[in-house]
């Protein structure tokens, strides 16, 4: 499955593919900081004009940079930020193919726990800690544009034992 | 410690090493999707014929692709999947050396929490959240084969304060 | 934002930048193993002479390799290790610029939970699980030295809803 990375291609082409891969890592890595600060302008800058953010049937499904950015600047989202919401990204699976790329990744959403017991950890202070609110699977589709790699589609589904998240995860298992 | 990456080597050799490194990242990144979907065929495809999956004394220690794949397709594991098990991989330490490579990584195993209080997070729905069941240290050994990089050995030990996990973690601290 | 990775530069320069980037990933990835084993010697080896570890106003602010290493070899920290402390690093945002680099990353600090209920997960044993003690934002500054990349400054702030952590996270959102 991992055999074809360096199949053929000039040094220039192979190096470009490596650089592309690292840019995709950075693009995924900026999502949590962007979400946790409500950075609407930044969010808008990383989506293609026809970008679709698919959070599942129970949430709105915004299309285009402005609508997608609005989800992270709403009063509701702002309240989540004030409560200390943290998006936490795991190691993604990433594959680049010419001017498109895709990734499968896990994300945790955590919030400070204000109801549980206080833990004291030597040399690390005391706190009620954090509650893992969601663990979700993401499928990302990227596109190379004149202004760098952008997100064309992100689908996210909660890992709650139901099939949709598993359908996303299978995208990382190209034979 | 991080000094020798580009010591000597032709452009071709150095580029190959970078590509190898990125393939190892993908190989580690496919483990959670594979485990969380019970993808036996995929699991079998990423292990060498003599591969050993060492989970510690309290678990079986399967050898070879078929036996290792069976651990993720068993009825027991299937039940864990139906309950919503999620493997979550952190940033791994990876070092490539010719046709072998190794990595030290952390993994969390989470499950939906069905006993705790419901948390409501603005703009992010409500849920009982997830329970972090295990945090473990992994030592991976990889081998380049005609069919790409494969796993020859993975040892995993729970981070519960006992020495075995720390012995694994020290593998990332080559001076 | 992700547009400029391959702007100009010779093959040699571009390849070097890619190698640098991967070394930074490894440098960040060795932090948890180092912290969770109390590896003072290793910790000292990865900081510049003028390195500053800024943990916020409520903690000491050690400067230089010896003082920084001492934070992970103290009796207090040793007690945290014996209790099973685990640092868990997410996917970092990393940017290399010549002989310096910086990264923005998230980290979780977990400890075994000794007060909560026991969870049994099929095929994955039973445990009281782990408590997420802290989720924090890190800003790292790196410097190329004759002995490889080293850390010149690390600032870390807890994601508890207060502004300092968000100020750090914005560092990943270069327009």
């Amino acid at each position: 499955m991992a055999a074809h990375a360096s199949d053929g291609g000039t040094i220039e082409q192979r190096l470009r593919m490596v650089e592309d891969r690292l840019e995709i890592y950075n693009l995924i890595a900026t999502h949590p900081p962007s979400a946790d600060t409500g950075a609407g302008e930044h969010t808008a800058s990383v989506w293609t004009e026809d970008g679709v953010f698919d959070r599942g049937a129970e949430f709105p499904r915004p299309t285009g940079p402005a609508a997608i950015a609005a989800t992270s600047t709403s009063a509701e989202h702002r309240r989540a930020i004030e409560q200390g919401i943290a998006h936490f990204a795991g190691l993604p699976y990433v594959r680049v193919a010419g001017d498109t790329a895709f990734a499968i990744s896990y994300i945790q959403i955590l919030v400070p726990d204000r109801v549980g017991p206080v833990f004291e950890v030597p040399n690390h202070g005391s706190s009620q800690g954090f509650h893992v609110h969601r663990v979700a699977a993401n499928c990302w589709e990227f596109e190379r544009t004149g202004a760098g790699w952008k997100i064309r589609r992100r689908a996210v589904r909660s890992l709650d034992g139901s099939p949709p998240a598993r359908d996303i995860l299978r995208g990382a298992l190209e034979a």
Side-chain angles (χ1 to χ4, degrees), chain A:
Chain A
M1 43 117 340
H4 39 261
S6 59
D7 284 5
T10 63
I11 292 283
E12 163 67 31
Q13 288 166 333
R14 290 165 58 192
L15 181 54
R16 166 61 71 102
M17 188 175 266
V18 163
E19 291 170 333
D20 289 342
R21 176 89 163 261
L22 294 177
E23 283 311 305
I24 301 296
Y25 284 144
N26 264 1
L27 203 42
I28 296 172
T30 56
H31 162 248
S34 181
D36 295 339
T37 61
E41 202 176 333
H42 179 269
T43 301
S45 76
V46 296
W47 285 82
T48 61
E49 286 307 312
D50 60 352
V52 175
F53 180 20
D54 170 5
R55 300 169 78 193
E58 73 272 37
F59 291 102
R61 193 167 180 278
T63 300
I68 295 170
T71 65
S72 65
T73 56
S74 68
E76 270 294 276
H77 190 78
R78 183 67 44 194
R79 282 213 304 137
I81 291 172
E82 277 156 19
Q83 291 179 17
I85 194 168
H87 291 71
F88 193 98
L91 180 74
Y93 175 84
V94 179
R95 192 60 76 190
V96 176
D99 293 333
T100 64
F102 82 98
I104 305 295
S105 72
Y106 287 71
I107 196 156
Q108 293 183 16
I109 298 178
L110 303 103
V111 289
D113 184 346
R114 304 192 200 281
V115 302
V118 170
F119 282 66
E120 174 116 21
V121 179
N123 197 34
H124 292 82
S126 66
S127 94
Q128 287 178 291
F130 283 75
H131 168 76
V132 182
H133 185 63
R134 277 175 188 267
V135 183
N138 298 273
C139 177
W140 306 79
E141 296 174 22
F142 304 98
E143 196 173 289
R144 188 198 308 277
T145 76
W149 284 93
K150 300 206 175 192
I151 308 164
R152 190 173 54 195
R153 185 164 181 275
R154 177 181 162 215
V156 56
R157 293 293 183 277
S158 192
L159 270 152
D160 54 8
S162 63
R166 294 203 292 274
D167 289 343
I168 284 180
L169 295 177
R170 285 189 192 98
L173 309 178
E174 326 161 89

